[in-house]
Amino acid sequence: MAIAVLPRLVFAVACAALMAGAAANVPPATPVIAEPAVGRVVNGSDVHMETGPFSDADPGDTHLCTDWEIWTVAPLQRVWATLCITGVERLHTHIGDGVFQNSHADLHELLPQTSYRLRVRHRDSSGDAGTEWSAWSERDFVTGAATVVFPLEIDDVKDTPVPGWTDSTGAGVVLPIGGSLQLQGSDGDLMLGITGLDGVSNLLDNPAAHGEHHAVRVVVSAGAGSALALPESQLAFTDGGSTARLVYLPPVSLDAGQSVYMWVAASGATYAGASGDTAPVFATLLRGAPVPWTVMQSGYKVEVVATGFQLPVNIAFVQSPGPNPTSPIYYVNELYGQIKVVTRDGTVRDYATGLLNFNPTGNFPGSGEQGLAGLAIDPANGDLYCSMVYSSVPGVEAANHYPKVVRFTSTDGGLTAATQTIILNMTGETMGQSHQ
């Protein structure tokens, strides 16, 4: 009996050992963070987060999803996350793929000049709750100042949707035979090429994706046999991270055989470059992106120079202001009947007040939007011209309003108005509630 039982016992123990070994899942390897690069100052509105390929010792395990998190360093708090994201974002994600939270809940980008920490981990397909996640990988990074011009960095231009090139009217730009536009990486490799085919259409060349992100520039070239003249235009494409991009190109005029080089900022603005550049240069703006309050030109900054205005609606600069601290440098229209003058020393003064013949107490938006509007300065004598609305029944806001234009003259160097003269009175031309 012992001889008969022993093989069964050995076999059972061996099977149990094999089954135990088969059930033991190994966690995925800790991700290797590729971006943000070590020591890199990061654009807070366009953070590239990327890891190396998923790696797992278990033969059947595949990459199910990834947790990406961004934390502030002091205080330590998670402020952005995209959890168990699938698709291409498992290895490469962007700010727009996640959700801001906690102290950053109302933000759409990271704060400037702030230290952050990226945390990322991979999840395998084993379904074993105890071992399906890798260890966290972490990397600290710092965002740049709000005034920094960051380059547009991409690793690919997608075929779909098809890249488009249009002028300011929306019409497609067609290159003459031999003319070309190239979107190049800072390493010189082609990311997108557009070449004039037959004078009525372009040939599109979209190479395979690059292995890493590069700053990009645009090179526009005229053919060897003809000059090239292009209007202001926009190049539209979707990058490898599925982000729609617009590059704002200035008018181009080239002789035969000439080329122009332009570096592209993250905003899509273009800057003058040179053929020998190996890194972005943001010194000379060629065409800015249509985004308010963004300083694109080197040597300029946004500053608060005057305050205390009530509903300012227009500004007019003196063409040749005087040299003294009290010389007027610009004027500001306030909606509810005042014109202010700002002098060289930053002082704000009343140039003219009480210019409406009604009390503008209507709803806003609505009739409360009516009052002063346009403002212009005669460069020859410094007279001001202001458009405004008037009530057809003086003192009554609820009556019909009509527009007029008034000229103001000054006898103290433009500091206060001495006379008012109606030069265009459009009585009977009524204004809608939100007009003027």
Side-chain angles (χ1 to χ4, degrees):
M1 293 292 292
I3 294 174
V5 172
L6 184 58
R8 294 180 185 175
L9 180 60
V10 172
F11 178 75
V13 171
C15 286
L18 287 171
M19 291 176 65
N25 186 67
V26 177
T30 304
V32 177
I33 296 176
E35 295 189 46
V38 176
R40 185 84 176 274
V41 177
V42 173
N43 180 356
S45 63
D46 189 21
V47 182
H48 295 280
M49 293 166 276
E50 186 172 341
T51 71
F54 172 80
S55 177
D56 195 310
D58 300 306
D61 287 354
T62 58
H63 192 177
L64 181 64
C65 64
T66 298
D67 278 355
W68 301 88
E69 300 179 347
I70 295 177
W71 292 61
T72 50
V73 176
L76 193 62
Q77 180 188 70
R78 192 173 76 180
V79 295
W80 177 93
T82 178
L83 302 180
C84 203
I85 193 168
T86 59
V88 297
E89 287 79 13
R90 292 174 300 178
L91 297 178
H92 178 193
T93 195
H94 298 81
I95 283 290
D97 298 321
V99 177
F100 284 93
Q101 54 192 223
N102 296 318
S103 63
H104 286 36
D106 296 325
L107 302 182
H108 300 285
E109 59 186 56
L110 299 179
L111 298 173
Q113 295 181 288
T114 303
S115 295
Y116 290 96
R117 178 168 298 155
L118 172 66
R119 302 179 79 235
V120 56
R121 62 177 181 171
H122 290 164
R123 182 183 184 185
D124 68 25
S125 58
S126 67
D128 185 340
T131 60
E132 61 186 349
W133 286 103
S134 72
W136 286 99
S137 186
E138 298 184 348
R139 175 161 296 170
D140 289 354
F141 65 93
V142 178
T143 52
T147 55
V148 171
V149 179
F150 288 96
L152 174 62
E153 295 181 301
I154 63 173
D155 62 353
D156 187 30
V157 174
K158 289 195 170 183
D159 293 319
T160 305
V162 177
W165 188 12
T166 57
D167 63 20
S168 57
T169 68
V173 175
V174 177
L175 290 166
I177 297 174
S180 68
L181 178 148
Q182 291 190 346
L183 190 67
Q184 300 178 348
S186 52
D187 59 353
D189 285 352
L190 180 67
M191 291 191 166
L192 179 69
I194 303 175
T195 306
L197 185 60
D198 51 14
V200 295
S201 60
N202 296 326
L203 178 66
L204 201 65
D205 180 13
N206 193 355
H210 289 228
E212 58 185 9
H213 286 84
H214 288 284
V216 296
R217 68 178 183 180
V218 173
V219 182
V220 179
S221 302
S226 62
L228 177 63
L230 298 174
E232 189 174 82
S233 59
Q234 293 76 236
L235 178 65
F237 62 89
T238 299
D239 68 18
S242 299
T243 300
R245 302 291 187 179
L246 272 176
V247 177
Y248 300 96
L249 301 169
V252 173
S253 181
L254 300 172
D255 292 332
Q258 286 187 331
S259 298
V260 62
Y261 299 82
M262 294 172 270
W263 287 104
V264 185
S267 65
T270 46
Y271 290 77
S275 60
D277 290 343
T278 57
V281 177
F282 298 121
T284 303
L285 180 67
L286 297 178
R287 184 184 173 197
V291 180
W293 313 115
T294 300
V295 178
M296 306 304 296
Q297 180 68 49
S298 176
Y300 288 79
K301 59 183 177 180
V302 175
E303 294 181 319
V304 177
V305 295
T307 59
F309 300 104
Q310 182 191 36
L311 299 176
V313 293
N314 220 316
I315 186 170
F317 286 87
V318 178
Q319 183 171 325
S320 299
N324 299 321
T326 56
S327 298
I329 192 167
Y330 60 88
Y331 296 83
V332 178
N333 259 4
E334 294 181 338
L335 181 65
Y336 287 166
Q338 285 74 239
I339 302 175
K340 297 291 180 67
V341 58
V342 181
T343 54
R344 277 194 178 275
D345 60 6
T347 302
V348 180
R349 304 166 180 256
D350 287 332
Y351 175 81
T353 61
L355 301 180
L356 302 181
N357 72 340
F358 62 94
N359 183 21
T361 57
N363 294 326
F364 198 102
S367 59
E369 295 180 50
Q370 295 187 339
L372 272 57
L375 184 65
I377 302 174
D378 188 334
N381 52 32
D383 291 352
L384 265 63
Y385 293 80
C386 179
S387 63
M388 64 187 75
V389 293
Y390 239 46
S391 175
S392 57
V393 180
V396 179
E397 190 276 333
N400 288 334
H401 293 173
Y402 63 90
K404 68 177 183 176
V405 178
V406 178
R407 180 177 62 207
F408 298 87
T409 66
S410 174
T411 57
D412 59 0
L415 294 176
T416 57
T419 67
Q420 301 180 31
T421 304
I422 298 174
I423 62 170
L424 183 60
N425 202 11
M426 293 172 275
T427 307
E429 184 173 339
T430 58
M431 296 284 94
Q433 285 194 345
S434 61
H435 291 203
Q436 290 256 331

